[in-house]
Structure formats: structure tokens, C-alpha cells
Amino acid sequence: MFTSAAIRPVPPHRDETMSENGFRLYDMVDVFANDGWWFGFISGKIGEEHYVYFPTTADNIAYPRDVLRFHQEWSNGKWIFLPRQGKIFDLH
């Protein structure tokens, strides 16, 4: 059984977390797919599709912008964004 302290609220809405310039290469993102949010990195963009690399499976999959949001972590009772870090993985 979960206590109320163990339940975290839904993160802020996607539109509230988008920057004016959108996603950049290597940004940490969450993707809504298969009935859940999955963590990955922006690995490229072709047309309107953003490619997301998933480090846990090594998959690199294209998604439309409307299923992406900047990744957030639940810490000390708040949703926080981690700083953009540049390239932190190798796709080859």
C-alpha cells in the first residue's frame, strides 16, 4: 500500500515545458508511447519527426513533437528539470 507521500502528482503540462526553440540534439525527453512515459534523448530530427534514443534498449525511434516533453525528475516534493548537458551518449 502506498502512502500519500509516495504518490507524486502529474508533471506540468507539455505546453508549459516547451522552450521557444523546441528540442535540441541530446535533450533529455520523455516520450508518451505504449500507454506510458519513457525516458530518452533527442538524437536527431528529420522533417517534423524527432528521433529519440532510449539508453535502456538502444532503440532509436522517430516521434512527432506532440508526444514529447522535456524530462523532469521528482525531487523533494517538486518536479525539476535537469540542465541540458550536451552529448552524453554514443549512438554508434
Side-chain angles (χ1 to χ4, degrees):
M1 176 113 8
F2 293 105
T3 67
S4 62
I7 299 173
R8 60 186 182 192
V10 175
H13 190 272
R14 251 189 324 269
D15 294 340
E16 297 171 17
T17 65
M18 292 295 298
S19 74
E20 286 182 18
N21 298 325
F23 299 109
R24 296 190 315 209
L25 193 60
Y26 310 120
D27 278 346
M28 293 179 283
V29 295
D30 297 319
V31 177
F32 190 77
N34 300 321
D35 298 321
W37 289 98
W38 305 94
F39 170 74
F41 298 93
I42 297 293
S43 61
K45 182 179 180 192
I46 298 177
E48 296 300 313
E49 302 254 294
H50 293 273
Y51 280 80
V52 177
Y53 173 77
F54 298 94
T56 56
T57 62
D59 290 326
N60 197 36
I61 303 172
Y63 294 95
R65 181 179 174 156
D66 66 336
V67 298
L68 303 175
R69 67 180 182 201
F70 286 106
H71 179 69
Q72 300 169 69
E73 292 284 333
W74 182 248
S75 178
N76 296 323
K78 293 185 200 177
W79 286 107
I80 61 167
F81 292 94
L82 301 177
R84 289 178 159 170
Q85 299 177 2
K87 185 175 180 181
I88 57 175
F89 61 91
D90 187 2
L91 294 175
H92 304 291

